[in-house]
Amino acid sequence: MKDKNFIIKVGDLLQEWGKTDSISFEHKPSSWICNLTKEWISWTIHFHSINQDSLYVTLEDVSCELNEVCDRCWISYVRKVSVASYVSRFVLNEKIKQEEEQTSDEEIFLINTRDETIDVEPMIIQSIFLEEPFVKHCQSCEKKLAND
């Protein structure tokens, strides 16, 4: 499998059902998150072929740092984001996607049928955004709140 930014060729996995593969990425930038630090995003991704039409994709150890502003004191700080695991499914066509989304709670993305590739960037971004707190506090404000 080849890495072209966040595009990964998965045609070989679709041809051999039950096959698995893994890739690790370190310090990969994304234009979707404007407040990433220069450490960018790191993660490991695992692929498991279900059949000729779909794959399970698992992200593990997604990590990045974001430049944030504390909602309490308005001081800038760096918030570490760590996602232990995030699972999604990729399917070959829109019809399968629509049918599966009606009966499943899992997130389903499309496989590009033209070149049998997947774009994992939306999945990675979603896993990071799901970790966003409702209220952002710097370490100092967290300590003050914990003592109150």
Side-chain angles (χ1 to χ4, degrees), residues 4 30 32-33 40 47 63 65 74 77 79 86 96 100 111 114 118 140 142 144:
K4 295 180 181 177
S30 172
W32 289 25
I33 304 177
W40 309 119
F47 304 92
S63 63
E65 294 180 344
W74 301 102
Y77 72 103
R79 179 173 61 93
Y86 185 81
I96 295 172
E100 292 291 330
I111 299 170
R114 188 181 59 224
I118 61 174
S140 176
E142 282 287 336
K144 288 177 188 174

Side-chain angles (χ1 to χ4, degrees), residues 36-85:
L36 273 171
T37 65
K38 296 296 181 190
E39 287 296 309
W40 309 119
I41 307 170
S42 298
W43 72 94
T44 300
I45 189 166
H46 303 281
F47 304 92
H48 180 77
S49 174
I50 300 168
N51 55 36
Q52 75 274 7
D53 296 326
S54 62
L55 303 167
Y56 270 114
V57 178
T58 305
L59 297 176
E60 288 184 349
D61 304 322
V62 178
S63 63
C64 66
E65 294 180 344
L66 303 172
N67 294 308
E68 301 281 12
V69 175
C70 179
D71 290 334
R72 186 171 181 190
C73 67
W74 301 102
I75 292 177
S76 296
Y77 72 103
V78 174
R79 179 173 61 93
K80 294 183 181 193
V81 177
S82 180
V83 180
S85 181

